[in-house]
Amino acid sequence: MTNARQFELRDDVTVELVKASASDADVIWSARVSTQGERSLEYLDADPERSEGLIRFLMRDRHSVPLEHSVFTFYLEAPIFVTRQILKHRISSISEHSGRYSELTGAFYIPSRERKLVQVGKTGDYNFVDGTDEQYVLTLHNLETAYQAAWDSYTNMLNLGISKEVARVCMPVAAYSSMYITVNARSLMNFLSLRKIDERSKYPTHPQREIEMVAEKMENIFAEKMPIVYKYFNEFGRVAP
Amino acid sequence: MTNARQFELRDDVTVELVKASASDADVIWSARVSTQGERSLEYLDADPERSEGLIRFLMRDRHSVPLEHSVFTFYLEAPIFVTRQILKHRISSISEHSGRYSELTGAFYIPSRERKLVQVGKTGDYNFVDGTDEQYVLTLHNLETAYQAAWDSYTNMLNLGISKEVARVCMPVAAYSSMYITVNARSLMNFLSLRKIDERSKYPTHPQREIEMVAEKMENIFAEKMPIVYKYFNEFGRVAP
Amino acid sequence: MTNARQFELRDDVTVELVKASASDADVIWSARVSTQGERSLEYLDADPERSEGLIRFLMRDRHSVPLEHSVFTFYLEAPIFVTRQILKHRISSISEHSGRYSELTGAFYIPSRERKLVQVGKTGDYNFVDGTDEQYVLTLHNLETAYQAAWDSYTNMLNLGISKEVARVCMPVAAYSSMYITVNARSLMNFLSLRKIDERSKYPTHPQREIEMVAEKMENIFAEKMPIVYKYFNEFGRVAP
Amino acid sequence: MTNARQFELRDDVTVELVKASASDADVIWSARVSTQGERSLEYLDADPERSEGLIRFLMRDRHSVPLEHSVFTFYLEAPIFVTRQILKHRISSISEHSGRYSELTGAFYIPSRERKLVQVGKTGDYNFVDGTDEQYVLTLHNLETAYQAAWDSYTNMLNLGISKEVARVCMPVAAYSSMYITVNARSLMNFLSLRKIDERSKYPTHPQREIEMVAEKMENIFAEKMPIVYKYFNEFGRVAP
C-alpha cells in the first residue's frame, strides 16, 4: 500500500551546479568583437584580470549582451510555491518534475526556527520579525496537520485507482519539486537582483525568504565562476546590465 | 475571526476577454510589407476576406511574424496547478494574484462528474476513462477532507498573527488563483496546439483536462476575433506558424 | 527600363502609430490583481489619475509586468543601418520589407545640416561636434557618388535579369526600409532608455543620431497614450522597469 | 592615408565553434526529471545511446524544453545582408562588430560561379537557375564598381575627419561583419529548419543561398555534437521541437 509510506519534512532547499560554460573571459571576447571584429578571437584564452577595466565599464554603463554568452545549468529542489515564482522569470529553460507522470515523494516544507514568521506593516512597506516560540510551535503544528491530511487523501486516492494528475491536486504548495534550470549570466543577475536582499542594491526588493535561499546558493556559484563580473555587479548596485 | 469564513468548491474555470487588438486584417498589412513596403499601408482598412489566399499561404508554409501583431488580454480564474502550467509558456505577460499580499479567497477545485478520473496505460501511451460512482464520491470526500484541513490550518495561522506568505504554504494546488494574460496570436496558437486535444492536430498532445478547459474558452474567443486565421490553423494541422 | 528611375535623398525618418491598445489604466488593473484578485476587474474603466500613486510606486521600485499589457504597433521608414539596430532589441515583433521579394525604392539617407558630423574623443568617451560647411558639402558629395554607383549597378543587374536578392547586395546601409513594429510599453521604455539621450537618464547612453530620431517620435506617441507612466519613467531616471 | 588600403572580395562565410556545452546526454537527464525527479541525476553521465528511444520519442512528439539545456557559441563572418537575417531570429545572444566604433575592414561579398543568379517564377513560387557566363561577368563588374565607389567615399570621408558612424552609411550590405552567436539546440534547430533546404523537411523553406551557407556549417557542428538528436531531427521532418 502506498499509504504506508511516510512523508518527510524539510526546511532547506537544494541547489547544485550541473554544468557551466561561464567565465569572466567570455565577457572579454564578446565585448571586444564590437570594436575589434575578428581580432577579438585573440582574447579567447586571454587572462580576464588584465581586462578588468573593460568589465567594470560594461557593468557600470549596463552593456548587456556580452553577459549572455556565459551559461549555467542548476539542479534544484524547492517547494512548489518557490518553483512557481522561478517560473515567472521567463528567460530561462526549466525542466521540472511532473506530478502527472510520477508519484510525488512526499517531502513538505516547514520553516526553520530562524525564519521570521510575523509581518509588521502593510503591502509596499513592511518588515518581518521573529515570532514567539508559541507561534512557531503552533505554525509547525498547523502545517503538519494540513500536510498529513493532504498526504492521506493523496495516497487514499492513488490506492483507489484515481489518476496521479487528479489525486495530486490536494497537495500543498509546500510540497517539494525538482527541476533543472539553464540560464545565462545576464538573466541570472536579474534573478539575483530581484530575489536576494543585499544592502548594496540600488533598488529595493522584497523576496520571500524561501526563494532567497535559492538565490543565495546560486549567487555563491556565480561568484565563484565569474568573480570579476560578480565584483562589479555588487559595486554598481546589483542592477542586471 | 477569519476562521468563520467558509471555503467554496468549484469545478469550472473563468476566461474573459479584457481587451483585444486583433483581427485577420492585421495579418494582411504586416505580411504585405515584405513585398510591398509602404504600399502595405493601403491595406490597413482592407477587407481580409479578399486576401484569404494570402492568409492560407502564410499558415500553410508557417510564416510566423505576421501573426504577432494581434494581441489579446484575458482574465482567468483557475486552480494553481493550471496556472503553473500556463507559466511554462514563456511568451506571454502574466499578472497574477499573490497569496503573499492578500488572503486567499478559499475557492478549491473539485472534478465534475464528467471529468475522467482513471488512467489506463502508462506514461507516453495512456488514456483516461470514467471512474465508478464510488470512485467519484470517494475522490470528492478525500479532496474535501484535505481542503478543510488546509483551510483550517491557514485561517488558524492567520488568526495567530502569522504572515500570509507563510500561512499559505499549506494551501493545495487546487486553490484558485486569478490572473491577466496578454499574448499575441502566434503564441496563443502555440498554446492551443499544446493544450487542447483536437482530431485535426498533426502532433499528439496530452493536456491535463483542466488546462484544456481554459484552452477551449480561449479558442472560442480567438475563433471569433480572427476567423480566417482560425480556419487555416485547423486546416493545416493546428501547428502554430 | 528600370534604370530610368531616379533615386531619392531623404534626411528624415517616418514613425506612424498604426494601432495601440495602451493606456495608463492598463497598469492599474494588472497591478491590482496581485493584491486584490478578482476585484481588480472593477478597475477596468477606472480613472487612472486617481491611482497615480500606484503607478509612481511601480515605476520607482521597478515592478515590470503591469507595463507589459499595453501594446503599440508602429509603421516605420528608416535607413537599413537604423533598422539593423532596432532588430537587436529582441522583445518586439517586426515585419520588414524585403529586397528579396520586391525592388528597392531607391531612397537613401543623407545627414541634414544639423546632424553633427565629427567625433571628438575615443570609444567609450567621446562627443560629436558640427563639421565645417566644407566637411558637410564633401560628405554629401561622397555619399551621393556612392549612392549613384550603387543605384546604377543595382538597376543594371536587374535589367540584365539578375535576381533581386543578388542585385541588392551592392545597395548601401543608407537605403531606406519600411517595417511594422509591435512592442509593449515595458520594451518600448527599454528602447527609449537606450536610444534617446535625455539629461534625466540615470545611465549614460550613446545612440547614433538617426535611431534617436526614431526614438523621439515613438516617445511622443508613448507620452500621449500613457502620460502618467511617462511622467514617472522620466522622474525615476528613464530606467525601464 | 586610409585611402591606400585595398578592399578584399570574398565569396565564402566563416563559421567556427567557439565553445559548446551540448550533448545528447543533456536531453536524457533533463527529460527524465519530469518522470523521475531527483533520480534523473543518475543520468548525468549515462550513455545516451542506451536512451535513444527516449530521444526519438521527444523529437517525434515535439517535446521541446529538454533541447534547451545544450548551448553553442559560434564565431561568424558573413555579409551584413546575412547578419541582418540572423538578427530576425530573436532567441539567441549576438555580439556583433560595430562600424560606429572601428573602421570597417573592407571585405565585400561576391557570388561564386556556382551561386545561381537568375530567378524564374514569382514570389511564393519560384526557382533559381544558373546565369550565363556573361551575366556572371557583368554581375561581378557591377558589384565591384559599386564597392569601389563605396570604399572610395568611405575612406575619403574618414580622411576628411568625418565620424565612422556617418561615413559607413554608404557601405553596401555586402560588406562583411563578424559576430558571436550563442544559441541553444532548440533555437538552432529552428534556425536550420528555416535556413537550409533539405528534402527531408516537412515544410518548404526558401532561404537566400548565402544564409544557407552559414546554416550548412552550423549544421555540421550540431550533427557532430548531438548525433542522436540530429538523426531524429531529420527523421521527423526537420521541424524544431
Side-chain angles (χ1 to χ4, degrees):
Chain A
M1 292 265 293
T2 310
N3 211 353
R5 202 153 38 96
Q6 287 303 301
F7 63 86
E8 176 194 2
L9 298 174
R10 292 179 60 177
D11 62 9
D12 63 339
V13 296
T14 298
V15 176
E16 288 171 18
L17 182 67
V18 171
K19 62 175 187 167
S21 173
S23 69
D24 288 324
D26 292 342
V27 185
I28 306 302
W29 46 258
S30 60
R32 288 254 155 91
V33 74
S34 74
T35 52
Q36 304 197 15
E38 69 178 331
R39 293 194 312 283
S40 64
L41 289 167
E42 296 168 15
Y43 294 90
L44 286 185
D45 301 311
D47 178 0
E49 292 193 21
R50 297 191 54 186
S51 301
E52 186 168 328
L54 174 58
I55 295 178
R56 185 182 190 282
F57 164 76
L58 296 169
M59 294 299 292
R60 188 195 66 194
D61 287 4
R62 304 187 73 213
H63 293 274
S64 53
V65 182
L67 279 303
E68 295 181 19
H69 301 285
S70 298
V71 184
F72 300 80
T73 300
F74 299 103
Y75 171 74
L76 174 69
E77 292 174 12
I80 287 170
F81 68 86
V82 171
T83 65
R84 273 178 82 197
Q85 293 176 337
I86 292 174
L87 287 172
K88 301 211 170 177
H89 298 261
R90 286 157 289 183
I91 307 302
S92 63
S93 296
I94 294 180
S95 294
E96 188 176 3
H97 178 256
S98 169
R100 298 182 67 203
Y101 302 138
S102 66
E103 291 182 22
L104 296 167
T105 54
F108 298 104
Y109 173 76
I110 49 166
S112 70
R113 188 63 188 95
E114 285 71 41
R115 207 289 187 202
K116 296 180 196 306
L117 295 177
V118 175
Q119 184 178 333
V120 179
K122 51 186 177 170
T123 301
D125 183 18
Y126 57 87
N127 286 307
F128 277 85
V129 297
D130 289 332
T132 63
D133 284 345
E134 189 192 4
Q135 282 177 314
Y136 182 66
V137 169
L138 287 171
T139 294
L140 292 200
H141 172 73
N142 275 288
L143 291 177
E144 290 180 35
T145 303
Y147 298 163
Q148 183 71 58
W151 186 245
D152 288 346
S153 287
Y154 179 63
T155 52
N156 284 344
M157 285 186 277
L158 293 181
N159 286 332
L160 275 167
I162 303 303
S163 64
K164 292 184 286 289
E165 72 176 33
V166 172
R168 58 102 181 238
V169 309
C170 70
M171 292 286 265
V173 293
Y176 276 72
S177 185
S178 50
M179 52 164 60
Y180 295 97
I181 307 174
T182 295
V183 64
N184 69 36
R186 182 187 185 185
S187 295
L188 181 57
M189 282 186 279
N190 179 262
F191 180 81
L192 299 177
S193 75
L194 291 167
R195 299 302 190 176
K196 182 166 174 293
I197 297 171
D198 193 297
E199 58 187 16
R200 294 166 292 191
S201 290
K202 212 176 257 183
Y203 293 96
T205 191
H206 304 286
Q208 183 155 349
R209 174 60 194 148
E210 288 78 13
I211 197 169
E212 193 185 34
M213 287 158 59
V214 170
E216 285 170 354
K217 288 176 185 248
M218 287 185 178
E219 181 154 329
N220 291 340
I221 293 167
F222 175 56
E224 191 180 319
K225 288 283 174 187
M226 301 182 77
I228 303 176
V229 169
Y230 181 67
K231 173 181 170 184
Y232 293 106
F233 172 59
N234 286 312
E235 184 165 322
F236 294 115
R238 296 176 64 87
V239 179
Chain B
M1 293 263 296
T2 310
N3 211 352
R5 202 153 38 95
Q6 287 303 301
F7 63 86
E8 176 194 2
L9 298 175
R10 292 179 61 178
D11 61 9
D12 63 340
V13 297
T14 298
V15 176
E16 287 171 18
L17 183 66
V18 171
K19 62 174 187 168
S21 173
S23 70
D24 288 324
D26 292 343
V27 184
I28 307 301
W29 45 259
S30 61
R32 289 254 156 91
V33 74
S34 73
T35 53
Q36 303 196 17
E38 69 178 329
R39 292 194 312 281
S40 64
L41 289 168
E42 296 168 16
Y43 294 91
L44 286 184
D45 300 311
D47 178 0
E49 291 192 22
R50 299 191 53 184
S51 302
E52 185 167 330
L54 173 59
I55 295 178
R56 185 182 190 280
F57 163 77
L58 296 169
M59 295 299 291
R60 188 195 67 193
D61 287 5
R62 304 185 74 214
H63 293 274
S64 53
V65 181
L67 279 304
E68 296 182 19
H69 301 285
S70 297
V71 184
F72 300 79
T73 299
F74 300 104
Y75 171 74
L76 173 69
E77 293 175 9
I80 287 172
F81 68 87
V82 171
T83 63
R84 271 178 83 196
Q85 293 177 336
I86 292 174
L87 286 173
K88 301 211 169 177
H89 297 260
R90 286 158 289 183
I91 307 302
S92 62
S93 296
I94 295 179
S95 294
E96 188 176 2
H97 178 254
S98 169
R100 297 182 67 203
Y101 303 137
S102 66
E103 290 183 23
L104 296 167
T105 54
F108 299 104
Y109 174 76
I110 49 165
S112 70
R113 188 64 190 94
E114 285 70 42
R115 207 285 189 203
K116 296 179 196 307
L117 295 176
V118 175
Q119 183 178 333
V120 178
K122 51 184 175 172
T123 302
D125 182 19
Y126 57 86
N127 286 306
F128 276 84
V129 297
D130 288 334
T132 63
D133 284 346
E134 189 191 3
Q135 281 177 314
Y136 182 67
V137 169
L138 287 171
T139 294
L140 292 200
H141 172 73
N142 274 288
L143 291 177
E144 290 179 35
T145 304
Y147 298 163
Q148 183 69 60
W151 185 246
D152 288 347
S153 287
Y154 179 64
T155 51
N156 284 343
M157 286 187 278
L158 293 181
N159 287 332
L160 275 166
I162 304 302
S163 64
K164 291 185 286 289
E165 71 176 35
V166 171
R168 58 103 181 236
V169 307
C170 70
M171 290 287 263
V173 293
Y176 275 72
S177 185
S178 49
M179 52 166 61
Y180 295 98
I181 307 175
T182 294
V183 64
N184 68 37
R186 181 188 186 184
S187 295
L188 181 56
M189 283 186 278
N190 179 261
F191 180 81
L192 298 178
S193 74
L194 291 167
R195 301 300 190 177
K196 182 164 173 294
I197 297 171
D198 193 298
E199 57 186 17
R200 293 165 293 190
S201 291
K202 212 176 254 183
Y203 294 96
T205 191
H206 304 285
Q208 184 156 348
R209 175 59 194 149
E210 287 78 12
I211 197 169
E212 194 184 35
M213 288 157 58
V214 171
E216 285 170 354
K217 288 174 184 251
M218 288 185 178
E219 182 154 330
N220 290 341
I221 294 166
F222 176 56
E224 191 180 319
K225 287 283 175 188
M226 301 181 77
I228 304 176
V229 169
Y230 181 66
K231 173 181 171 185
Y232 292 107
F233 172 59
N234 286 313
E235 183 166 322
F236 294 115
R238 295 176 64 87
V239 180
Chain C
M1 292 264 296
T2 309
N3 212 354
R5 202 152 39 94
Q6 288 302 302
F7 63 86
E8 175 194 1
L9 297 175
R10 292 180 59 178
D11 61 8
D12 63 340
V13 297
T14 298
V15 176
E16 287 171 18
L17 182 67
V18 171
K19 62 174 187 167
S21 173
S23 69
D24 288 325
D26 293 343
V27 184
I28 307 301
W29 46 258
S30 61
R32 288 255 156 90
V33 73
S34 74
T35 52
Q36 304 197 16
E38 69 179 330
R39 292 195 312 282
S40 63
L41 289 167
E42 296 168 16
Y43 294 91
L44 286 184
D45 301 311
D47 178 1
E49 290 192 24
R50 299 191 53 185
S51 301
E52 185 167 330
L54 174 59
I55 295 178
R56 185 183 190 281
F57 163 78
L58 295 168
M59 295 298 292
R60 188 195 66 194
D61 287 5
R62 304 185 74 214
H63 292 274
S64 53
V65 181
L67 279 303
E68 296 182 19
H69 301 286
S70 297
V71 184
F72 300 79
T73 300
F74 299 104
Y75 171 74
L76 174 69
E77 292 174 6
I80 288 172
F81 68 87
V82 171
T83 65
R84 272 178 82 196
Q85 292 176 337
I86 292 175
L87 286 172
K88 301 211 169 178
H89 297 261
R90 287 158 288 184
I91 307 301
S92 63
S93 296
I94 294 179
S95 294
E96 188 176 3
H97 177 255
S98 169
R100 297 183 67 202
Y101 303 137
S102 66
E103 290 184 23
L104 297 167
T105 53
F108 299 103
Y109 173 76
I110 49 166
S112 70
R113 188 64 190 95
E114 285 69 42
R115 207 287 189 203
K116 296 179 196 306
L117 294 176
V118 175
Q119 183 178 332
V120 178
K122 51 185 177 173
T123 301
D125 182 19
Y126 57 87
N127 286 307
F128 276 84
V129 297
D130 288 333
T132 63
D133 285 345
E134 188 192 5
Q135 281 177 315
Y136 182 67
V137 170
L138 287 171
T139 295
L140 292 200
H141 172 72
N142 275 287
L143 292 176
E144 290 180 35
T145 303
Y147 299 163
Q148 183 70 60
W151 185 245
D152 288 346
S153 287
Y154 178 64
T155 52
N156 284 343
M157 286 186 278
L158 293 181
N159 287 332
L160 276 166
I162 304 303
S163 63
K164 291 184 286 289
E165 71 176 35
V166 171
R168 59 102 181 237
V169 308
C170 69
M171 291 286 264
V173 294
Y176 275 72
S177 184
S178 50
M179 52 166 60
Y180 296 97
I181 307 175
T182 295
V183 64
N184 68 37
R186 182 188 185 185
S187 295
L188 181 56
M189 282 186 278
N190 179 262
F191 179 81
L192 298 177
S193 74
L194 291 167
R195 300 300 190 177
K196 182 165 173 293
I197 297 172
D198 193 297
E199 58 187 14
R200 294 165 293 190
S201 291
K202 211 177 256 181
Y203 293 95
T205 192
H206 304 286
Q208 184 156 349
R209 174 60 195 148
E210 287 78 12
I211 197 169
E212 193 184 35
M213 287 158 58
V214 171
E216 286 170 353
K217 289 176 184 250
M218 288 186 178
E219 182 154 330
N220 291 340
I221 293 167
F222 175 56
E224 191 181 318
K225 287 283 175 188
M226 302 182 77
I228 303 176
V229 169
Y230 181 66
K231 172 181 170 185
Y232 292 107
F233 171 59
N234 286 312
E235 182 165 323
F236 294 116
R238 297 175 63 88
V239 180
Chain D
M1 291 265 294
T2 311
N3 210 354
R5 202 155 38 95
Q6 288 303 302
F7 64 86
E8 177 195 0
L9 297 174
R10 291 180 61 178
D11 62 9
D12 63 339
V13 297
T14 298
V15 176
E16 288 171 18
L17 182 67
V18 171
K19 63 175 187 166
S21 173
S23 69
D24 288 324
D26 293 343
V27 185
I28 306 301
W29 47 258
S30 61
R32 288 254 155 90
V33 74
S34 74
T35 54
Q36 304 197 15
E38 69 178 331
R39 292 195 311 282
S40 64
L41 289 167
E42 295 168 15
Y43 294 91
L44 285 185
D45 300 312
D47 178 0
E49 292 192 22
R50 298 191 54 186
S51 300
E52 185 167 329
L54 174 59
I55 294 177
R56 185 183 189 282
F57 163 77
L58 295 169
M59 294 298 292
R60 189 195 65 194
D61 287 4
R62 304 186 74 214
H63 292 274
S64 54
V65 181
L67 278 303
E68 296 181 18
H69 301 285
S70 297
V71 184
F72 300 79
T73 300
F74 299 103
Y75 171 74
L76 174 69
E77 291 174 6
I80 287 171
F81 67 86
V82 171
T83 64
R84 272 177 83 197
Q85 293 177 338
I86 292 174
L87 286 172
K88 302 212 169 176
H89 297 261
R90 286 158 290 182
I91 307 301
S92 63
S93 296
I94 295 180
S95 294
E96 188 175 3
H97 177 256
S98 169
R100 298 182 67 203
Y101 303 138
S102 65
E103 290 183 22
L104 296 167
T105 54
F108 299 104
Y109 173 77
I110 50 165
S112 69
R113 188 62 190 95
E114 286 70 42
R115 208 288 188 202
K116 296 180 196 308
L117 294 177
V118 176
Q119 184 178 333
V120 179
K122 50 186 178 170
T123 300
D125 182 19
Y126 57 87
N127 285 308
F128 277 85
V129 298
D130 288 334
T132 62
D133 284 345
E134 189 192 4
Q135 281 177 314
Y136 183 66
V137 169
L138 287 171
T139 295
L140 292 200
H141 172 73
N142 276 288
L143 292 176
E144 290 180 37
T145 304
Y147 299 163
Q148 183 70 59
W151 186 246
D152 288 346
S153 287
Y154 179 63
T155 52
N156 285 344
M157 285 186 277
L158 293 181
N159 287 332
L160 276 166
I162 303 303
S163 65
K164 291 184 286 288
E165 72 177 32
V166 171
R168 58 101 181 237
V169 308
C170 69
M171 291 286 264
V173 293
Y176 276 71
S177 184
S178 49
M179 51 164 61
Y180 295 97
I181 307 174
T182 295
V183 64
N184 69 36
R186 182 187 185 184
S187 296
L188 181 56
M189 282 185 279
N190 179 262
F191 180 81
L192 299 176
S193 74
L194 291 167
R195 300 300 190 177
K196 183 167 173 292
I197 297 172
D198 193 298
E199 59 186 16
R200 294 165 293 191
S201 291
K202 211 176 259 182
Y203 294 96
T205 191
H206 304 286
Q208 184 156 350
R209 174 60 194 149
E210 288 78 14
I211 197 169
E212 193 184 34
M213 288 158 59
V214 170
E216 285 170 353
K217 288 175 185 249
M218 288 185 177
E219 181 154 329
N220 290 341
I221 294 167
F222 176 55
E224 191 181 318
K225 287 284 174 188
M226 302 182 77
I228 303 176
V229 169
Y230 180 67
K231 174 181 170 184
Y232 292 107
F233 171 59
N234 286 311
E235 184 165 322
F236 294 115
R238 297 176 63 88
V239 181

